[in-house]
Amino acid sequence: MLVGCLTTLGAVVAERHFASSQAEQLAQDHLYRLKASLEQVFSARFNLTIALDAFVQSHRDLDFQDPEEAALFQRHFEDFTAALDREITGVLSLQLAPDGVITYITHPERNQAALNHDLLTDDERRDQIIEVIEARGIVVGGPFTLLQGGEGLLVRKAIFTKPGAYDRQRYLETKAIAPDTLWLNRIPDDFWGFATVVMPVEIFYAEAGLDELADHRYLYGMRGRHGLGAAGEVFWGDPSVFEDPTFSVPISLPNGEWVMAVKQTQNLGWWRSVVILLLGSGISGSLSFAILINQEKEMAIARSQAKGDFLATMSHEIRTPLNGMIGMTSLLLDTELGSQQRHFVQTLRHSGENLLVIINDILDFSKIEANCLELDVHPFHLPQCIGEVYSLFKAQIQAKKLTCSWHIDEEIHPVIQGDKTRLKQILLNLFSNAIKFTHQGHIDLQVSLKKDGAATFLLFTLEDTGVGIPPSLKSYLFQPFSQGDNSVTRKYGGTGLGLVISQRLCQLMGGNIWFQSEVKRGTTFYVQLPYLPVLDSSVATPQWIVPELPLPSLIESLKPFSHLRILVAEDLLVNQQMMGFMLEKFGYDPDFVSNGPQYRTKT
């Protein structure tokens, strides 16, 4: 009996050490899951501020001093926000505040105290309000006590329409403010007001899963009110967690971050050892095994999320060496090669380019799944954007002897507000598929305006005369890693992620994507995105048509600038070599450093 107990005790001691390390790993895995959940809850509300901005932009020419036009805007606002309310729950109110005054608000019966409140003259809130204007983006605030009562979170976006939208004199005439007030000078004249989404904290905590963390083994805490991160106050959980946390992670916000931490309160091995020692053998083994199985299940889920987070941050490290390989093969093709050698190198470059496309898809999908992908919204020239996409496929279109055209309706302003890079990515995916699956006929892109209630959208319509999509396969198109059947993968290649990524990007930008198709007659894809024209004349209209010169002609045109000494800051040796060969080919004299401090030391 004694021998049996000692044997069991030895096993328990070993298990105690194992359980302690398991507990630390579980604490870390819990935070990764919570991080993903918290960021997902926020992202669902970010788009609402973008939608409200788009609504205001579509009514930018209304005169709000005219009672009839103001009443028209009120009716359209009520219709528009009612549609949003049906789609997205858990929101206390949607607000528009022209000139900083909350004038339009959903559910006024429960938000009456906030109506007509001037955010700019509120001494307690002004600093955050000015920060939102200067950020020219989305800012998360709170949680704090709401004017209408209770605790809430705010997702707020400053709206800018056109020069003169903010009339300081008009504002001074209606407010008892001295003309030399300093904060007035920080408001740009194209400022229209604010779009705000208010979310009750109890719903936020419930949706993010914070209410389910009652576990005597761990303590949790979150700090960073108003996105101040580690410097902010603890607004949820136990403040003592941050004195000696077991693990912590940042929660990414549009204009800052929060920090969430977990602290292990006791060693899991102690109580499990007591159970095993008292029960001896038999049932104790079953109990221990059941506990470990449950822990392994939780850890598997958490580690899957952690891997997604890790992969989403590894895009630079994965792409960089592959870009070096492709660049070097391109330089090799410019040297003297035999016909067989040239064929080998061309195959190598083509394979590398295909691999880069696949890796880009996987990494972008991982970023989206891990909620790490953020939009970069700024004014850009729409015809230039589409022209750049078309130029990338021009050689393929000519090789397949297809006809291709694109047209933008005249009523669409050429300069719009949005994320040019992500719009190009959507169009690149659609053009790539259209060319891939079209063997004869045409591919046409039409960009038009579409009214949906009070809102105005851009509608991109891409039509091809390709093989079409059978009805039985249509449900697979927006499923990750799916291409309908294996024969598509074997014949055409790809990851099956292009349309999934395009759909997620459209949703992130407040739009949508759908299609119509008929077998052997072609497919038409529709992309609908908010129309945000930029009428500011100071935004230059670029000349997007670039003359296509063969390499010898291009080198000849650059000769007047040769023999210049060029400083290149690059920390990777393979990239230094690649850029050195290219610059020397153009007649330049490159000088390389790894970083800025090395340059200062060198000079």
Side-chain angles (χ1 to χ4, degrees), residues 482-550:
S482 174
Q483 289 183 316
D485 60 33
N486 291 333
S487 63
V488 175
T489 305
R490 289 194 299 269
K491 183 175 181 180
Y492 295 102
T495 60
L497 289 175
L499 289 178
V500 180
I501 293 171
S502 298
Q503 182 189 53
R504 302 288 176 87
L505 290 175
C506 285
Q507 293 170 347
L508 191 62
M509 291 189 284
N512 198 9
I513 183 173
W514 68 96
F515 70 94
Q516 295 176 340
S517 185
E518 188 175 346
V519 177
K520 297 182 180 180
R521 296 183 66 89
T523 303
T524 302
F525 273 90
Y526 303 91
V527 173
Q528 179 176 290
L529 297 174
Y531 175 51
L532 306 174
V534 178
L535 304 180
D536 186 354
S537 59
S538 65
V539 179
T541 300
Q543 181 67 31
W544 62 268
I545 302 176
V546 179
E548 298 180 9
L549 296 176

Side-chain angles (χ1 to χ4, degrees), residues 298-550:
E298 290 186 11
M299 290 178 66
I301 296 172
R303 283 174 179 165
S304 176
Q305 176 62 45
K307 288 176 183 176
D309 292 340
F310 171 77
L311 190 58
T313 62
M314 289 295 291
S315 59
H316 176 74
E317 285 73 12
I318 294 175
R319 290 183 177 106
T320 298
L322 188 54
N323 282 324
M325 293 165 57
I326 296 172
M328 283 299 186
T329 54
S330 298
L331 291 173
L332 186 58
L333 285 170
D334 290 334
T335 64
E336 293 293 332
L337 297 173
S339 59
Q340 187 179 45
Q341 292 172 321
R342 181 168 296 277
H343 172 70
F344 290 160
V345 177
Q346 286 174 336
T347 302
L348 179 62
R349 184 177 67 174
H350 180 68
S351 299
E353 290 170 344
N354 287 340
L355 180 58
L356 184 60
V357 170
I358 294 171
I359 289 176
N360 284 338
D361 281 351
I362 294 173
L363 291 172
D364 280 339
F365 181 73
S366 298
K367 279 188 176 182
I368 292 171
E369 288 294 288
N371 294 304
C372 294
L373 192 147
E374 298 180 359
L375 297 179
D376 179 21
V377 178
H378 59 274
F380 69 92
H381 195 256
L382 181 60
Q384 179 193 31
C385 174
I386 297 176
E388 289 172 357
V389 172
Y390 172 75
S391 65
L392 291 174
F393 294 106
K394 188 174 181 180
Q396 296 181 44
I397 293 169
Q398 292 174 344
K400 296 189 76 169
K401 298 181 179 180
L402 302 173
T403 60
C404 183
S405 64
W406 57 274
H407 175 74
I408 302 175
D409 285 1
E410 293 182 357
E411 58 183 331
I412 297 175
H413 196 271
V415 180
I416 63 173
Q417 188 91 352
D419 189 327
K420 177 183 176 181
T421 301
R422 295 305 174 184
L423 174 59
K424 283 181 65 175
Q425 187 173 358
I426 294 171
L427 296 177
L428 284 169
N429 281 329
L430 296 182
F431 263 101
S432 177
N433 282 341
I435 294 169
K436 183 188 299 183
F437 296 106
T438 302
H439 306 299
Q440 60 181 2
H442 68 268
I443 299 170
D444 295 320
L445 174 66
Q446 173 77 27
V447 188
S448 57
L449 289 182
K450 177 184 177 183
K451 294 282 187 179
D452 188 357
T456 305
F457 294 89
L458 284 174
L459 182 64
F460 298 81
T461 304
L462 184 67
E463 178 186 84
D464 67 56
T465 55
V467 298
I469 305 167
S472 60
L473 302 182
K474 289 183 178 180
S475 61
Y476 291 95
L477 252 64
F478 295 109
Q479 297 296 321
F481 306 103
S482 174
Q483 289 183 316
D485 60 33
N486 291 333
S487 63
V488 175
T489 305
R490 289 194 299 269
K491 183 175 181 180
Y492 295 102
T495 60
L497 289 175
L499 289 178
V500 180
I501 293 171
S502 298
Q503 182 189 53
R504 302 288 176 87
L505 290 175
C506 285
Q507 293 170 347
L508 191 62
M509 291 189 284
N512 198 9
I513 183 173
W514 68 96
F515 70 94
Q516 295 176 340
S517 185
E518 188 175 346
V519 177
K520 297 182 180 180
R521 296 183 66 89
T523 303
T524 302
F525 273 90
Y526 303 91
V527 173
Q528 179 176 290
L529 297 174
Y531 175 51
L532 306 174
V534 178
L535 304 180
D536 186 354
S537 59
S538 65
V539 179
T541 300
Q543 181 67 31
W544 62 268
I545 302 176
V546 179
E548 298 180 9
L549 296 176

Side-chain angles (χ1 to χ4, degrees), residues 109-124:
E109 69 284 354
R110 65 184 185 218
N111 294 284
Q112 192 64 38
L115 194 60
N116 297 321
H117 181 72
D118 191 334
L119 298 170
L120 288 169
T121 59
D122 186 331
D123 294 337
E124 294 183 1

